[in-house]
Amino acid sequence: MIKSLLIANRGEIACRIIRTARSMGIRTIAVHSDIDATMPFVQAADEAVRIGPAPARESYLVQARILDAAKVTGAEAIHPGYGFLSENAAFAEAVEAAGIVWVGAPPTSIRAMGLKDAAKALMMAADVPVTPGYMGEDQSPEHLQAQADRIGYPVLIKAVAGGGGKGMRKVDAAQDFAGALLSCRREAGASFGDERVLLEKYITGPRHIEVQVFGDQHGNIVHLFERDCTLQRRHQKVIEEAPAPGMDEATRAAICQAAVKAAKAVDYVGAGTIEFIADASEGLRADRIWFMEMNTRLQVEHPVTEEITGQDLVEWQLRVASGEPLPCRQEELAINGWAMEARLYAENPASGFLPSTGPLDRLRFPQGIRVDSGIAEGGEVSPYYDPMIAKIIVHAPDRGTAAARLADAARQVEVWPVRTNAAFLARAAADRDFIAGNIDTGFIERHADRLVPMAEPAEPVRQAAALALLPRDDGVWRRLSGFRANAAPDRRIVVDIADHNYLVELDDNAPRGRDVTVRGDRLLFLDGEAWPLGPPRASAAGAGAASDGALLAPMPGKVIAVEVAEGDTVRKGQKLLVLEAMKMEQAMLAPFDGVVADLMVKVGGQVTEGMMLTRIERGED
Ligand code: ADP
């Protein structure tokens, strides 16, 4: 067994690898960029070596720096994690040439699977079903067009050197082919320095199913069953699970055997994944599942396989790299229960999933479940690397329970001020169609309106904020009626959420969020979302009936006129301001004689439904 290991990676996967290596008594060495110097993976390692500035191409991608670090620290082996140099055959060769153990796929396998057309050809030769299409030498536009016509539309054009979803074009009709080919070639040339393309039948509403395989240096290859990674957004995986919903034993046996055949065809050693695309329009069927590509590394989503098999795949990697045989034979592996993983990203779903970077003044994960993360509270999400904060992993006896636990776990995430997709993940995991297994790769885009939380606080958030903003010693409104001796029981309170005011009529079922103060900001965490709260408005939290005069926007719109100023005396029925909503103008009138106490809006301002526009304080007489 190797005695020391350098991890040529960062973040959660570096932490993950260190955890297992340490438990096996292996000395661990981290390499890090300048801005990562205090990250948990650096602290967790026995030793750490700085390899350069923040940009990955000046640190984590500089092969010579990493090799130097290994030599200086006497590292016996290098684990590349995923991404960065993990599928770089030249680096794997350089590591081996330096007499260091490469905890990754053999360089020959990486090369064989690196180009999509060569990989497909290899798979066809090995009798593994591949997506119908064309991947020939003749790259003339006329020939490609004829092939596309033969395959039948829609057709997918893929760059043979493509990856990460780049260099792909879907073509719906023959007359669009030439244009799509041109732009695909341009992108492929610019991104991969290789303009060659292949054509595939476009599978409508497909599922992404992949099989974990493992080989050792003694010629043994096993599979560890399948994962379903169908829930994607723009070809990026969001929720992964194992096993795949709707997979029967015969189909499982067929695709797992195909995966083992694929791995054998490239004399595979170590952890690898064979990705398939499935046409599940009539259920999963063995004759409608096709090879897509092989990933010659450990996958981000490997934990779901660990959870259902009870195996530690990093331990397997280290044993195999040390020359040991695989820890298990095929017949010793079995599926136990159901596992799901959700990727918690620093991004804002409400603004088109824009990345959100910055400090993590608060970072709390659900307790009692597995969370693989590489960042701690007080840390920072930097713009230099992948914005994944953590992987939330659950394991349960059955799929329904797993989904419920995942949704529940996502709802408990508390992050501030960085925005996350936690609420979106919770909604996806609790979605009726997801629970029913009605999924395909277009699921998220198609159901965006019910999965993506709104930018403004929905009613439950307003309710929870009202509950949180009531006086501390009397947080539950029920007791409030007794508390306010001088007024009729008042369940109404003006709350300030994310710089907007809302008049809330508190009801019995107000959900209870978590109300905490972080660096002076009062925050409400509810169902995975974070909302900054303003101070309670004295008038509402204190003296009773004042909120009666609050005027709320009846619908979202724009303020086109404001005819009063704060402090003005107004008569009942007097026009206060005018809203334009749904192409109609609506005048907001004073409900009684009084004084304009709060004027919350200006001409030109946008208002959301339920937002407080102004408040009239009743005249004394
Ligand atoms: P990359 O290497 O760029 O990640 P892949 O070939 O792995 O590209 O495909 C990425 C994703 O594109 C798949 O997960 C799937 O959602 C979709 N896809 C790929 N091939 C097809 C196809 N023939 N029909 C429909 N969708 C496809």
Side-chain angles (χ1 to χ4, degrees), residues 468-489:
L469 290 171
L470 283 174
R472 270 272 166 248
D473 59 348
D474 219 341
V476 183
W477 79 267
R478 273 187 217 86
R479 280 185 279 146
L480 194 73
S481 38
F483 173 69
R484 286 196 183 154
N486 61 341

Side-chain angles (χ1 to χ4, degrees), residues 546-570:
S547 56
D548 283 353
L551 270 89
L552 309 183
M555 58 187 82
K558 187 175 172 182
V559 180
I560 56 170
V562 177
E563 307 198 347
V564 291
E566 247 171 60
D568 283 2
T569 303
V570 292

Side-chain angles (χ1 to χ4, degrees), residues 461-470 475 491 493 495 497 504 506 524:
V461 176
R462 302 180 196 187
Q463 290 283 332
L467 204 54
L469 290 171
L470 283 174
R491 305 179 181 191
I493 176 171
V495 294
I497 309 172
V504 179
L506 198 53
L524 175 76

